[in-house]
Amino acid sequence: MVNAQTQTTTTTSTPPIDEVASIHQVPTKELDIYRDTFIRYMGYSNEIGEAFRPLVPKSLVAASYGMAIGYVCTDTFDKSLRQQMTGSSHREVAMVAADVFTWQMMASVIIPGLVINRITWASKSLLSKAPVGVLKTLPTLIGLASIPLIIHPIDSLVDRVMDATFRKVVR
């Protein structure tokens, strides 16, 4: 006697790949070229000017601020124009412009400029008895080396301050 077993096969239907992809799709944030790419460093041109303050004429330091403020205005114009193109009201466009300009001025020009200026000044003060060559170049090198270290903490600080003040008031 042969024992015949019946084999049942269950097939599960798998959804098409594009359907699976849409289910597991992570929302992507639009790339902000002024904050998420190397262009962000244009906003830090005044920090380079501040770091070089002991070595260059004051007019070059002032020009570095002009370059940084130009970056801020370009980002402000770009984001305002994009907001306007969506059909937003004049008030909404103005709010975007004010937010971007305020954030960029604080995060790219004012706070980092002050921080690098004080780092360079403190370095120069601590090295006051060093030979002239060291006294002029080492504070500049210390200031330049500090720039990458201050970027993200300052950006985060400005985000928190803007969220707790300006953005809370205007929205």
Side-chain angles (χ1 to χ4, degrees), residues 22-135:
S22 68
I23 293 170
H24 298 292
Q25 199 169 39
V26 176
T28 57
K29 185 178 128 183
E30 184 179 334
L31 178 70
D32 182 345
I33 65 165
Y34 296 99
R35 292 188 191 180
D36 302 329
T37 68
F38 69 93
I39 294 173
R40 174 78 174 96
Y41 294 103
M42 288 291 293
Y44 283 91
S45 59
N46 63 305
E47 283 69 50
I48 294 170
E50 285 295 346
F52 276 96
R53 186 179 285 276
L55 298 174
V56 300
K58 289 184 180 172
S59 60
L60 288 179
V61 176
S64 72
Y65 273 87
M67 193 165 145
I69 292 169
Y71 157 83
V72 169
C73 291
T74 302
D75 186 23
T76 302
F77 176 77
D78 178 65
K79 295 223 173 49
S80 301
L81 185 61
R82 289 173 189 261
Q83 187 70 31
Q84 186 178 27
M85 289 171 42
T86 66
S88 296
S89 70
H90 292 298
R91 182 186 186 287
E92 291 169 325
V93 172
M95 290 298 106
V96 166
D99 186 276
V100 172
F101 186 80
T102 304
W103 189 94
Q104 285 288 12
M105 284 300 291
M106 287 176 36
S108 300
V109 180
I110 298 168
I111 296 171
L114 178 65
V115 169
I116 297 300
N117 178 284
R118 295 294 81 196
I119 288 171
T120 305
W121 173 83
S123 302
K124 190 173 181 180
S125 296
L126 292 172
L127 297 167
S128 61
K129 297 185 189 214
V132 175
V134 170
L135 185 60

